[in-house]
Amino acid sequence: MTLFGGIEAGGTKFICAIGNGPNELVAQTRFPTTTPEETLSQAAEFFIRFMEKSHTQLASIGIASFGPLDLIPGSPTYGYITSTPKPGWANVAIRDVLQARTGCPVVIDTDVNGAALGEGKWGAAQGLSDYVYLTIGTGIGGGLIVQNRPFHGMLHPEMGHIRLPHDLQKDPFPGICPFHGDCFEGLANGPALQARTGQKAELLPPEHPIWELEAEYIALALQSIICVTSPQRIILGGGVMKQSHLFPRIRAMTRNLLNGYIQAKAILDEIDSYIVPPALGEMAGVLGAIALAQHI
Amino acid sequence: MTLFGGIEAGGTKFICAIGNGPNELVAQTRFPTTTPEETLSQAAEFFIRFMEKSHTQLASIGIASFGPLDLIPGSPTYGYITSTPKPGWANVAIRDVLQARTGCPVVIDTDVNGAALGEGKWGAAQGLSDYVYLTIGTGIGGGLIVQNRPFHGMLHPEMGHIRLPHDLQKDPFPGICPFHGDCFEGLANGPALQARTGQKAELLPPEHPIWELEAEYIALALQSIICVTSPQRIILGGGVMKQSHLFPRIRAMTRNLLNGYIQAKAILDEIDSYIVPPALGEMAGVLGAIALAQHI
Ligand SMILES: Nc1ncnc2c1ncn2[C@@H]1O[C@H](COP(=O)(O)OP(=O)(O)O)[C@@H](O)[C@H]1O
Ligand SMILES: Nc1ncnc2c1ncn2[C@@H]1O[C@H](COP(=O)(O)OP(=O)(O)O)[C@@H](O)[C@H]1O
Ligand SMILES: [Zn+2]
Ligand SMILES: [Zn+2]
C-alpha cells in the first residue's frame, strides 16, 4: 500500500499522521507549536522514524498550514510562511525544510484548502468538483475548489475580507478588522462576537440576539460568494460554526436574500444539503493534508 | 488553415464571423435579433453558405450568448437559453439548433465568458490563466477564467448581484434590482445611473458627482471579488466603462479600500495594469465566440 504523510500546521499545535484516509491511518502524533526549529524537527523526526522502522518510503507529504503562505509557483519564497505576526515564524521555509529533512516530496497549501480537499475526498463534499469551504473562527478564511483542485489565482483567495452592508443603526459595532474595520471578518469572527458581548462566543446562549445578527452577516457574505463563484456546495466550519443553531438561520436568510435570483434546485428546494457543516471533525486538518499529498 | 466560426448572440443583434483571430477573419456579418426561427436561420445560413462556397468544413462554432443559459453538462436543456424575458427566446435550444443546421460541433457559453476568453487570447489578459472580466452596462455580469477556462460551478457565476455597503445618507437611492434592490447591479448599472439623474449615463459629464459614487461602488465590488477569487487581473468592460475617467478613480479607491491587506505588487505598485479596460473593442464578442470554438 502506498502511504502518504500529512501535517496540520496550526498556530497552536501540529498534528502529523501517516496513512491513506480517515479509516487508514497507521500512525499519528501531535505536539504544541513552539519555535520553527523545534517544531519542524519534531515533525520531520516523526516521519523519518516511521520510514526507518517500517522500511517504507512515503510517497509524499502534505502540509495544510496556517499562513499567510507564498503559493506562487516559481516564486523564490514558494512554500514559505510569509508575514505572520506569530513570533519566529515569519519567512520560514516550512516546505523546503521538511522536504530536505525527510527526503520526501512535500506539497503545501493553506489549512482551509487542505480541509476543503479532505471534505471533498471523504467528507461533506464527496462527489463534487467545485465548492467552497469557509471557516469562521478567530479569523474568517475560505477555500475555493475548482475541478477538484484548490484555486489559487494571484495569491490565494481568502474570502474573509469582503465588504458587507452594515446597518449602523441596528449594529453600531465598528468592526475589528485592522485593515478594514467592518468587513465580513471584522463584523463576524469570534473575537467580534466577544467584543460586542464581553463574553467568549462559546459561552453565549443560542437565544442571545447576537446570533441572529451573526447569521445575517454570514448569509450576506454567502450571497456574494455564491454570486461570484457559484459553488456546488458550501461547507461552513470553524469554532463559531459549532453553534449548530446557526445553520437553519443561515440557510433561511441566504435563500431569502437571494430571493429567487438563482433558479437552482440546490438553493430553492435543497438548501439543507447546500450549506452544510464539515463531516471530518477533529482530524479534518491532517486528513486534508493527506489529501493534498495524494494530489501531487 | 483550420477555420472556426463565432457568433455573438446579443439581445439586440447577432454578429457572426469566421476565422482564427482578430487579424484572421475571412468572413463576417451582422443582423438584428428578431424571432429565434429567423435569427438562428440567418446565422446558420451564413456558415453553410461559406462552407459550400469555400469547400471548407469549419472545425467548430462558438456561441457567446445572452442568457441566462443552461450550461450544466448532462442537463436535458444543456445549451438552452432558459428564462429570459426577451419575447420568444425563453427555452430556445440555441446550441442544438445551430449544431443540427450547420453540421458543425457547436460550443456555447455566456457572452461575458466569451469576451473573457477572447481577451485572454488576444487582448487585455494575454499570458494570464486566472482572471476576471466584469461588464457594467444594462446589467452587470462577470466571467471568471480559471486555468484558461471559463469557470461554471453550479450554474455560472454572475457577480452582478453581490451585496455592498450602501450608505443611505450619502446615496438615498434604493437601487433597481428587481430581486435585491440595492445589490451591486441595482446600485451601479447604467439604468441606475439614469434613474438617479434623469439622464442616460452616456450624457452625464465626467465632473458629475455621480461618477465618484459609481467608482466607489465598483471599487467595493472589486474588493469582494478580489478577496473571493484573487484574480491575476480584472478587465472592466461594458457601456458604463466607456467613461475612461472611471479607471483611475476605481484603481485608487480599490487600493485604498484593500488598505494593504493584500501584499501583492500587482495591487500595491502596478494597479494600473491590474484593473484595465478590454482591448478588443467592437469585435470582442464575436472574437470571444471564436476563442470558445477553438477551446472545444
Ligand atoms: N462552540 C463554540 N461556539 C461559538 N464560538 C466558538 C466555539 N468554539 C470556539 N469558538 C470561537 O471560535 C474562535 C476560535 O476558532 P477556531 O476555528 O476554533 O480556531 P482558529 O480560527 O483560531 O483556528 C474563537 O473566537 C472562539 O471564541
Ligand atoms: N459612453 C457611455 N458612458 C456611460 N454609459 C454608457 C455609455 N454607453 C452606454 N452606456 C450605458 O451602458 C448601458 C448599456 O450597456 P452596454 O454594455 O452597451 O450594453 P448591454 O449591457 O445592454 O449589453 C446603458 O445603460 C447605457 O446608458
Ligand atoms: Zn478585513
Ligand atoms: Zn440583484
Side-chain angles (χ1 to χ4, degrees), chain B residues 114-166:
Chain B
L117 266 192
E119 292 290 340
K121 235 170 177 161
W122 303 295
Q126 282 176 68
L128 303 182
S129 55
D130 304 289
Y131 56 94
V132 163
Y133 184 107
L134 196 68
T135 170
I136 303 174
T138 309
I140 295 184
L144 171 63
I145 303 295
V146 173
Q147 298 290 314
N148 304 304
R149 302 255 164 191
F151 174 62
H152 292 117
M154 181 175 65
L155 294 173
H156 38 87
E158 289 285 346
M159 308 206 188
H161 298 269
I162 64 180
R163 297 275 171 177
L164 300 183
H166 175 199

Coordinates of all heavy atoms in Angstrom, one line a residue, chain B residues 114-166:
Chain B
G114 N -17.3 34.4 -23.0 CA -16.7 34.5 -24.4 C -15.7 35.7 -24.4 O -14.5 35.6 -24.8
A115 N -16.2 36.9 -24.0 CA -15.4 38.1 -24.0 C -14.1 37.9 -23.2 O -13.0 38.2 -23.6 CB -16.1 39.3 -23.5
A116 N -14.3 37.2 -22.0 CA -13.1 37.0 -21.2 C -12.1 36.1 -21.9 O -10.9 36.4 -21.9 CB -13.6 36.3 -19.9
L117 N -12.5 35.1 -22.5 CA -11.6 34.2 -23.2 C -10.9 34.9 -24.3 O -9.7 34.7 -24.5 CB -12.4 33.0 -23.8 CG -12.5 31.7 -23.0 CD1 -13.0 30.6 -23.9 CD2 -11.1 31.3 -22.4
G118 N -11.7 35.7 -25.1 CA -11.1 36.4 -26.2 C -10.0 37.4 -25.7 O -8.9 37.4 -26.3
E119 N -10.3 38.1 -24.6 CA -9.3 39.0 -24.1 C -8.0 38.2 -23.6 O -6.9 38.8 -23.7 CB -9.9 39.8 -22.9 CG -11.0 40.8 -23.3 CD -10.5 42.0 -24.1 OE1 -9.2 42.3 -24.1 OE2 -11.3 42.6 -24.8
G120 N -8.2 37.0 -23.1 CA -7.1 36.2 -22.7 C -6.2 35.8 -23.9 O -5.0 35.8 -23.8
K121 N -6.9 35.5 -25.0 CA -6.1 35.0 -26.2 C -5.5 36.1 -26.9 O -4.3 36.0 -27.4 CB -7.1 34.3 -27.1 CG -6.6 32.9 -27.3 CD -7.6 32.0 -28.0 CE -6.8 30.7 -28.3 NZ -7.8 29.6 -28.5
W122 N -6.2 37.2 -27.1 CA -5.7 38.3 -28.0 C -5.7 39.7 -27.4 O -5.3 40.7 -28.1 CB -6.5 38.3 -29.3 CG -6.6 37.0 -30.0 CD1 -5.6 36.4 -30.6 CD2 -7.8 36.2 -30.2 NE1 -6.0 35.2 -31.1 CE2 -7.3 35.0 -30.9 CE3 -9.1 36.3 -29.9 CZ2 -8.2 34.0 -31.3 CZ3 -10.0 35.3 -30.2 CH2 -9.5 34.2 -30.9
G123 N -6.2 39.8 -26.2 CA -6.5 41.2 -25.7 C -5.8 41.5 -24.4 O -4.6 41.3 -24.3
A124 N -6.6 42.0 -23.4 CA -6.0 42.6 -22.2 C -5.6 41.6 -21.2 O -5.1 42.0 -20.1 CB -7.1 43.6 -21.6
A125 N -5.7 40.3 -21.4 CA -5.3 39.4 -20.4 C -4.4 38.3 -21.0 O -4.3 37.2 -20.5 CB -6.5 38.7 -19.7
Q126 N -3.7 38.7 -22.0 CA -2.8 37.7 -22.7 C -1.7 37.2 -21.7 O -1.1 38.0 -20.9 CB -2.1 38.4 -23.9 CG -3.0 38.5 -25.1 CD -2.3 39.2 -26.2 OE1 -1.4 38.7 -26.8 NE2 -2.8 40.3 -26.5
G127 N -1.5 35.9 -21.7 CA -0.5 35.3 -20.9 C -0.9 35.0 -19.5 O -0.2 34.4 -18.7
L128 N -2.2 35.4 -19.1 CA -2.7 35.1 -17.8 C -3.6 33.8 -17.8 O -4.2 33.6 -18.9 CB -3.4 36.3 -17.2 CG -2.7 37.6 -17.2 CD1 -3.5 38.7 -16.5 CD2 -1.4 37.4 -16.4
S129 N -3.7 33.1 -16.7 CA -4.5 31.9 -16.7 C -5.8 32.1 -15.8 O -6.8 31.4 -16.0 CB -3.7 30.7 -16.2 OG -3.1 31.1 -14.9
D130 N -5.7 33.0 -14.9 CA -6.8 33.2 -13.9 C -7.1 34.7 -13.7 O -6.4 35.4 -13.1 CB -6.3 32.7 -12.5 CG -5.8 31.2 -12.6 OD1 -6.7 30.3 -12.7 OD2 -4.6 31.0 -12.5
Y131 N -8.3 35.0 -14.3 CA -8.6 36.4 -14.2 C -10.1 36.6 -14.3 O -10.9 35.7 -14.5 CB -7.9 37.2 -15.4 CG -8.2 36.7 -16.7 CD1 -9.2 37.2 -17.5 CD2 -7.4 35.6 -17.2 CE1 -9.5 36.6 -18.8 CE2 -7.7 35.1 -18.5 CZ -8.7 35.6 -19.3 OH -9.0 35.1 -20.5
V132 N -10.6 37.9 -14.1 CA -12.0 38.2 -14.1 C -12.3 39.2 -15.2 O -11.5 40.1 -15.4 CB -12.4 38.8 -12.7 CG1 -13.7 39.5 -12.8 CG2 -12.4 37.6 -11.7
Y133 N -13.4 39.0 -15.9 CA -13.9 40.0 -16.8 C -15.3 40.5 -16.3 O -16.1 39.7 -16.0 CB -14.1 39.4 -18.2 CG -14.5 40.4 -19.3 CD1 -13.6 40.9 -20.2 CD2 -15.8 40.9 -19.3 CE1 -14.0 41.8 -21.2 CE2 -16.2 41.8 -20.3 CZ -15.3 42.3 -21.2 OH -15.7 43.2 -22.2
L134 N -15.4 41.8 -16.0 CA -16.6 42.3 -15.5 C -17.2 43.3 -16.4 O -16.5 44.2 -16.9 CB -16.3 43.0 -14.1 CG -17.5 43.3 -13.2 CD1 -18.1 42.0 -12.6 CD2 -17.0 44.1 -12.0
T135 N -18.5 43.1 -16.8 CA -19.1 44.1 -17.7 C -20.1 44.9 -17.0 O -21.0 44.3 -16.3 CB -19.7 43.4 -19.0 OG1 -20.4 44.4 -19.7 CG2 -20.5 42.2 -18.6
I136 N -20.1 46.2 -17.1 CA -21.0 47.1 -16.4 C -21.8 47.9 -17.5 O -21.2 48.8 -18.1 CB -20.2 48.0 -15.5 CG1 -19.4 47.2 -14.5 CG2 -21.2 49.0 -14.7 CD1 -18.5 48.0 -13.6
G137 N -23.0 47.4 -17.7 CA -23.8 48.1 -18.8 C -25.2 48.1 -18.3 O -25.5 48.6 -17.2
T138 N -26.2 47.6 -19.2 CA -27.6 47.5 -18.7 C -27.7 46.6 -17.5 O -28.4 46.8 -16.6 CB -28.4 46.9 -19.9 OG1 -28.1 47.7 -21.1 CG2 -29.9 47.0 -19.5
G139 N -26.9 45.5 -17.6 CA -26.8 44.7 -16.4 C -25.3 44.7 -16.0 O -24.5 45.4 -16.5
I140 N -25.0 44.0 -14.9 CA -23.6 43.8 -14.5 C -23.3 42.3 -14.5 O -24.1 41.5 -13.8 CB -23.3 44.4 -13.1 CG1 -23.5 45.9 -13.2 CG2 -21.9 44.1 -12.7 CD1 -23.1 46.7 -11.9
G141 N -22.4 41.9 -15.3 CA -22.1 40.4 -15.3 C -20.6 40.2 -15.2 O -19.8 41.0 -15.6
G142 N -20.3 39.0 -14.8 CA -18.8 38.7 -14.7 C -18.5 37.3 -15.2 O -19.4 36.4 -15.3
G143 N -17.3 37.2 -15.6 CA -16.7 35.9 -16.0 C -15.5 35.6 -15.3 O -14.6 36.5 -15.1
L144 N -15.3 34.4 -14.8 CA -14.1 34.0 -14.0 C -13.4 32.9 -14.8 O -14.0 31.9 -15.1 CB -14.5 33.5 -12.6 CG -13.4 32.8 -11.8 CD1 -12.3 33.8 -11.4 CD2 -14.0 32.2 -10.5
I145 N -12.2 33.3 -15.3 CA -11.4 32.3 -16.0 C -10.4 31.6 -15.0 O -9.7 32.3 -14.3 CB -10.6 33.0 -17.2 CG1 -11.6 33.7 -18.1 CG2 -9.8 31.9 -17.9 CD1 -12.6 32.8 -18.9
V146 N -10.5 30.3 -15.0 CA -9.6 29.5 -14.1 C -8.8 28.6 -15.0 O -9.4 27.8 -15.7 CB -10.4 28.7 -13.1 CG1 -9.5 27.8 -12.3 CG2 -11.1 29.7 -12.1
Q147 N -7.5 28.7 -15.0 CA -6.6 27.8 -15.8 C -7.0 27.9 -17.2 O -7.2 26.9 -17.9 CB -6.6 26.4 -15.3 CG -6.1 26.3 -13.8 CD -4.6 26.5 -13.8 OE1 -3.8 26.0 -14.6 NE2 -4.1 27.3 -12.8
N148 N -7.3 29.1 -17.7 CA -7.6 29.4 -19.1 C -9.0 28.9 -19.6 O -9.3 28.9 -20.8 CB -6.6 28.8 -20.1 CG -5.2 29.3 -19.8 OD1 -5.0 30.5 -19.8 ND2 -4.3 28.4 -19.5
R149 N -9.8 28.5 -18.6 CA -11.2 28.0 -19.0 C -12.2 28.8 -18.2 O -12.0 29.1 -17.0 CB -11.4 26.5 -18.5 CG -10.4 25.6 -19.1 CD -11.1 24.8 -20.2 NE -10.1 24.2 -21.0 CZ -10.4 23.6 -22.2 NH1 -11.6 23.6 -22.6 NH2 -9.5 23.1 -22.9
P150 N -13.4 29.1 -18.8 CA -14.4 29.7 -18.1 C -14.9 28.8 -16.9 O -15.0 27.6 -17.1 CB -15.6 29.8 -19.1 CG -14.9 29.7 -20.4 CD -13.7 28.8 -20.2
F151 N -15.0 29.3 -15.7 CA -15.4 28.5 -14.6 C -16.9 28.6 -14.5 O -17.6 29.6 -14.7 CB -14.8 29.2 -13.3 CG -15.3 28.5 -12.0 CD1 -15.1 27.2 -11.8 CD2 -16.1 29.2 -11.1 CE1 -15.5 26.6 -10.7 CE2 -16.5 28.6 -10.0 CZ -16.3 27.3 -9.7
H152 N -17.5 27.4 -14.3 CA -19.0 27.4 -14.2 C -19.5 27.1 -12.8 O -20.5 27.7 -12.4 CB -19.6 26.4 -15.2 CG -19.3 26.9 -16.6 ND1 -18.6 26.2 -17.5 CD2 -19.8 28.0 -17.3 CE1 -18.6 26.8 -18.7 NE2 -19.3 27.9 -18.5
G153 N -19.0 26.1 -12.1 CA -19.5 25.8 -10.8 C -20.9 25.2 -11.0 O -21.2 24.5 -11.9
M154 N -21.8 25.6 -10.1 CA -23.1 25.0 -10.1 C -23.9 25.5 -11.3 O -24.5 24.7 -12.0 CB -23.9 25.4 -8.8 CG -25.3 24.8 -8.7 SD -26.1 25.1 -7.2 CE -26.2 26.9 -7.2
L155 N -24.0 26.8 -11.5 CA -24.6 27.4 -12.7 C -23.5 28.1 -13.4 O -22.6 27.5 -13.8 CB -25.7 28.3 -12.3 CG -26.9 27.7 -11.6 CD1 -27.9 28.7 -11.1 CD2 -27.6 26.7 -12.6
H156 N -23.6 29.4 -13.4 CA -22.3 30.1 -13.7 C -22.3 31.4 -12.9 O -23.4 32.0 -12.7 CB -22.1 30.4 -15.2 CG -23.4 30.8 -15.9 ND1 -23.9 32.0 -16.0 CD2 -24.3 30.0 -16.6 CE1 -25.0 32.1 -16.7 NE2 -25.3 30.8 -17.0
P157 N -21.2 31.8 -12.4 CA -21.1 33.0 -11.6 C -21.6 34.2 -12.4 O -21.4 34.2 -13.6 CB -19.7 33.1 -11.2 CG -19.0 31.9 -11.7 CD -19.8 31.3 -12.7
E158 N -22.2 35.1 -11.7 CA -22.7 36.3 -12.4 C -22.0 37.6 -11.9 O -21.8 38.5 -12.6 CB -24.2 36.4 -12.3 CG -24.9 35.3 -13.1 CD -24.9 35.6 -14.6 OE1 -24.6 36.7 -14.9 OE2 -25.2 34.7 -15.4
M159 N -21.8 37.6 -10.6 CA -21.1 38.7 -9.9 C -21.9 39.9 -9.8 O -21.7 40.7 -8.9 CB -19.8 39.0 -10.6 CG -18.9 37.8 -10.8 SD -17.2 38.2 -10.9 CE -16.5 36.6 -11.4
G160 N -22.9 40.2 -10.6 CA -23.7 41.4 -10.5 C -24.5 41.6 -9.3 O -24.7 42.7 -8.8
H161 N -24.8 40.5 -8.6 CA -25.8 40.6 -7.5 C -25.2 40.4 -6.2 O -25.8 40.0 -5.2 CB -26.9 39.6 -7.8 CG -27.7 39.9 -9.0 ND1 -28.8 40.8 -9.1 CD2 -27.4 39.6 -10.3 CE1 -29.2 40.9 -10.3 NE2 -28.4 40.2 -11.1
I162 N -23.9 40.7 -6.1 CA -23.3 40.7 -4.7 C -23.8 41.9 -3.9 O -24.3 42.9 -4.5 CB -21.7 40.8 -4.8 CG1 -21.2 42.1 -5.4 CG2 -21.2 39.6 -5.6 CD1 -19.7 42.1 -5.5
R163 N -23.7 41.8 -2.6 CA -24.2 42.8 -1.7 C -23.1 43.8 -1.4 O -21.9 43.4 -1.2 CB -24.6 42.2 -0.4 CG -25.8 41.3 -0.5 CD -27.1 42.0 -0.5 NE -28.2 41.1 -0.9 CZ -29.5 41.5 -0.9 NH1 -29.9 42.7 -0.6 NH2 -30.4 40.6 -1.2
L164 N -23.4 45.1 -1.3 CA -22.4 46.1 -1.0 C -22.8 46.9 0.2 O -24.0 47.0 0.5 CB -22.2 47.0 -2.2 CG -21.8 46.5 -3.5 CD1 -21.6 47.6 -4.5 CD2 -20.5 45.7 -3.3
P165 N -21.9 47.6 0.9 CA -22.3 48.6 1.8 C -23.0 49.7 1.1 O -22.5 50.1 0.0 CB -20.9 49.1 2.4 CG -19.9 48.1 2.0 CD -20.4 47.4 0.8
H166 N -24.1 50.2 1.6 CA -24.8 51.2 0.9 C -25.2 52.3 2.0 O -26.1 52.0 2.8 CB -26.1 50.6 0.3 CG -27.0 51.6 -0.3 ND1 -28.3 51.3 -0.6 CD2 -26.8 52.9 -0.7 CE1 -28.9 52.4 -1.1 NE2 -28.0 53.3 -1.2

